Amino acid sequence: MSGTVTTRSRTLAVNRVLVSAHAVAIIGQPVFAGGYLGGDYDMLWLHRWGADAVSYLAYAQILAALVLWLVRGPRWLFWISLLLAAGETAQYLAGMAGALDLHIPLGVALVTGVVLTTIAVWRPQNWRAAR
């Protein structure tokens, strides 16, 4: 039993780090976009690089959340991570297509979703029930 609890707590720690890094990366995206819109055209490169980082973190978060679920952790983080990654993939494609009418509001929703997920993953009462 102790081994399972230790594994679960380590897996939770990995999830918390990934979700937090994901939040930092996605919050940086509007900063880079704002710099570009303010006339610093090099910021567009940073915005694109940031989109790649956000995507990689989202996919890593899905895998970590799946491992947490498999060690008898909560399921909700996996499903939220999957939903966020799907939204971020649509966001990436909309940005590449120049569809700002979708890209901007979807970006606002995604930043909100990742920040709320970060808050939830750090709240201890969410982890007391294994399922």
Side-chain angles (χ1 to χ4, degrees), residues 14 16 36 54 73 109 119 124:
V14 168
R16 284 178 169 168
Y36 169 71
V54 167
I119 292 167

Side-chain angles (χ1 to χ4, degrees), residues 2-74:
S2 177
T4 303
V5 172
T6 303
T7 302
R8 191 178 314 141
S9 64
R10 285 183 182 160
T11 306
L12 174 58
V14 168
N15 275 275
R16 284 178 169 168
V17 167
L18 280 171
V19 170
S20 299
H22 190 185
V24 169
I26 204 165
I27 289 169
Q29 286 299 92
V31 174
F32 298 146
Y36 169 71
L37 294 174
D40 185 354
Y41 299 110
D42 290 335
M43 295 296 269
L44 184 60
W45 179 85
L46 283 174
H47 186 66
R48 170 112 192 247
W49 182 86
D52 290 339
V54 167
S55 295
Y56 297 141
L57 285 166
Y59 302 140
Q61 183 177 318
I62 289 171
L63 293 175
L66 178 61
V67 171
L68 182 63
W69 182 2
L70 293 174
V71 297
R72 310 295 282 166

Side-chain angles (χ1 to χ4, degrees), residues 6 29 51 58 62 72 82 92 94 99 111 120-121 123 126:
T6 303
Q29 286 299 92
I62 289 171
R72 310 295 282 166
L82 196 62
Y92 193 98
V111 169
V121 84
R123 292 188 66 166
N126 289 333

Side-chain angles (χ1 to χ4, degrees), residues 91 99-112:
Q91 170 77 351
L100 296 182
D101 54 337
L102 174 61
H103 188 73
I104 292 172
L106 184 55
V108 171
L110 288 167
V111 169
T112 302

